[in-house]
Amino acid sequence: LAVDLGTTSVWVALVDANTRAVLAEAGDYNQQISFGEDVISRIIFSAKGDGLSELQKAAAGSINKLTQSVLDKAGASRDDVSFIAVAGNTTMTQLLLGIDARNIRLAPYIPAANQFPPVEAAQAGLDMPRGVMLYAFPCVASYVGGDIVAGVAAYGLHKRPEMTLYMDIGTNGEIVVGNSDFMMCASCSAGPAFEGGGLEFGMRATLGAVEGFAINPENLDEPMILTIGRAKPIGICGSGIITLLAELMQFGILLQNGKFNPDAPTKRVRQGKDGTLEYVVVWKDDAGVDSDIVITEPDVDNLVRAKGAMFSGAHTLVEHVGLTMDTIERVVITGSFGNFVNLAKAVFIGLLPDIPADRFFYMRNGSLAGARLACVDRAFLRTCEEVSRMMTHVELSEAPAYMDKYMAAQFLPHTDASLFPNVMQALRK
């Protein structure tokens, strides 16, 4: 079993160790969300009473549920499982293993452990026979975990000569800059917005999620909407949210300050329940839920904060190593918040740098890819341990430039127009 244990989402893949084939894959929300949407909330909860035990049970429960799903899909049983590889951020890894995580949020932000010996899966609460071992990927720092190590190793960044920016976009955004000569890493709290969390109609990338959106320039009231599985829409997933924001910006329905244009020539902009404006993505009659599907100004605020955290984190780290965004030769985008991301739209809202499109590479879920490799190649486990030692961590919270860049990024696409020349040119048309 290969497991991507994310703060918001958990993915499990069943891998045939002989053929390397992925037999089945399934994802769902992390059950720990009921204790808090971010790692800090969960660390605080873990320090109270039986909090650590409850969080471990929730993480294990998420994996157990998805394990049963993939086994059922493949016609297999738990007795067929021989090995489990889990890639997660530092907090998720420690909570699953029942390790006290409180030091992660306390200065000097040094976790109890970065390297973890294999343990019996049953000891971590997984419903597995005795003797099935669980391998947790090594972590680098409090907020740069085994998920980023697994992804970087799977991509092979440590062996490539191109200067690369690797961005794992999720609730805990993790960033790496470097190549075969060096690797610098950092993290920033982006929040769960790009995975559907904290939004009125946000959802994971599953059946019925809006993943594509395009406005008809001849009639702003009749956009084209695509959903996963072409089912009736019930919400909006991460890739859909990015495209939606970009389209609304491009047609002047959403202003660069993140507010809806009350004078936009469309009946879809209206006053919401809280007195702020909202945009109707899908009317109730066309939806698979009993209401209009909307995106609100508070939703947009959450999204702007999330994209601002990711871009300013990458911008700060790139400058920290003496580079500029236009000198980056390859940008690798990964994360489990959608089946694919429209890179042009992600650039348009200021999430990704405005550089030539041929420099971008999309890796659907680097964390899960690394976990799958660990299931079929024991040498890859040693590679991951080497990669974790090669990374030098930068604490963004102690970098004065980061907060300045974060505040500057609270605009669509950015307050510094020179960073997004192509986007600004498109907006002026």
Side-chain angles (χ1 to χ4, degrees):
L1 285 168
V3 180
D4 168 29
L5 182 60
T7 307
T8 302
S9 301
V10 181
W11 285 88
V12 171
L14 185 66
V15 183
D16 188 319
N18 295 313
T19 66
R20 298 187 170 216
V22 177
L23 304 178
E25 191 174 303
D28 202 351
Y29 283 115
N30 188 331
Q31 293 176 19
Q32 289 182 346
I33 284 179
S34 60
F35 302 101
E37 289 192 340
D38 57 80
V39 294
I40 299 299
S41 301
R42 296 180 203 177
I43 292 170
I44 293 171
F45 183 84
S46 73
K48 299 176 182 177
D50 295 328
L52 179 58
S53 175
E54 289 188 54
L55 286 166
Q56 182 183 34
K57 288 177 183 176
S62 298
I63 297 173
N64 285 333
K65 177 183 174 183
L66 292 169
T67 296
Q68 190 60 57
S69 176
V70 295
L71 289 172
D72 289 345
K73 287 179 183 179
S77 73
R78 279 174 163 73
D79 291 334
D80 297 318
V81 178
S82 59
F83 180 76
I84 302 175
V86 178
N89 65 49
T90 310
T91 302
M92 293 301 101
T93 302
Q94 296 200 173
L95 293 179
L96 175 66
L97 297 177
I99 299 172
D100 189 340
R102 72 184 72 191
N103 286 332
I104 288 175
R105 62 177 289 267
L106 302 174
Y109 312 110
I110 298 174
N114 279 334
Q115 308 276 336
F116 312 96
V119 298
E120 279 201 340
Q123 288 184 297
L126 302 190
D127 186 10
M128 284 289 151
R130 292 295 303 273
V132 177
M133 302 303 290
L134 181 153
Y135 173 84
F137 282 80
C139 301
V140 178
S142 283
Y143 300 106
V144 178
D147 48 357
I148 202 80
V149 171
V152 164
Y155 174 69
L157 193 155
H158 59 294
K159 299 185 291 186
R160 296 174 182 264
E162 306 93 1
M163 189 55 62
T164 301
L165 172 63
Y166 183 100
M167 298 176 69
D168 188 332
I169 302 174
T171 306
N172 181 52
E174 295 161 304
I175 308 152
V176 180
V177 173
N179 58 8
S180 55
D181 294 327
F182 77 96
M183 288 186 287
M184 303 286 286
C185 62
S187 67
C188 52
S189 180
F194 287 124
E195 295 182 79
L199 307 180
E200 189 163 345
F201 284 92
M203 63 179 290
R204 288 177 52 254
T206 56
L207 188 70
V210 173
E211 63 172 351
F213 180 90
I215 291 177
N216 178 358
E218 303 299 324
N219 183 352
L220 301 189
D221 284 330
E222 298 297 333
M224 181 183 74
I225 294 166
L226 294 176
T227 63
I228 295 175
R230 304 302 177 256
K232 275 199 167 188
I234 58 174
I236 316 167
C237 68
S239 54
I241 287 165
I242 290 170
T243 301
L244 175 62
L245 286 189
E247 286 285 299
L248 294 176
M249 275 178 63
Q250 189 164 3
F251 287 90
I253 297 170
L254 181 66
L255 303 175
Q256 288 182 261
N257 63 1
K259 304 300 180 184
F260 288 111
N261 180 2
D263 300 320
T266 173
K267 62 185 178 184
R268 288 178 178 262
V269 174
R270 69 186 187 190
Q271 190 170 56
K273 292 174 290 190
D274 62 354
T276 61
L277 296 179
E278 63 185 22
Y279 176 86
V280 180
V281 182
V282 182
W283 297 109
K284 176 181 175 180
D285 290 346
D286 300 319
V289 291
D290 192 28
S291 67
D292 297 334
I293 296 174
V294 302
I295 183 168
T296 67
E297 284 185 345
D299 289 343
V300 176
D301 287 342
N302 280 335
L303 292 161
V304 170
R305 283 195 294 270
K307 76 90 186 173
M310 285 302 309
F311 180 81
S312 54
H315 193 193
T316 303
L317 191 60
V318 167
E319 286 195 352
H320 187 81
V321 298
L323 301 172
T324 57
M325 285 295 194
D326 58 1
T327 61
I328 296 296
E329 298 170 273
R330 174 62 67 95
V331 179
V332 180
I333 307 301
T334 188
S336 60
F337 65 99
N339 289 331
F340 69 94
V341 175
N342 185 315
L343 295 174
K345 303 298 185 184
V347 170
F348 204 88
I349 68 170
L351 173 62
L352 302 178
D354 191 354
I355 59 177
D358 60 3
R359 299 187 194 179
F360 288 97
F361 175 81
Y362 184 67
M363 190 175 181
R364 181 170 175 260
N365 187 334
S367 176
L368 192 62
R372 290 200 310 264
L373 280 172
C375 290
V376 297
D377 183 359
R378 295 301 168 89
F380 182 75
L381 301 180
R382 292 190 292 274
T383 297
C384 289
E385 289 165 5
E386 292 168 8
V387 166
S388 70
R389 289 191 290 268
M390 289 172 66
M391 290 188 189
T392 301
H393 179 246
V394 175
E395 183 58 64
L396 289 181
S397 64
E398 297 178 2
Y402 174 67
M403 189 50 68
D404 292 338
K405 286 180 169 53
Y406 173 72
M407 295 306 296
Q410 301 304 298
F411 199 68
L412 294 165
H414 201 279
T415 55
D416 184 355
S418 67
L419 290 172
F420 292 88
N422 295 309
V423 176
M424 297 310 297
Q425 184 178 359
L427 286 173
R428 284 192 289 267
K429 288 181 179 179

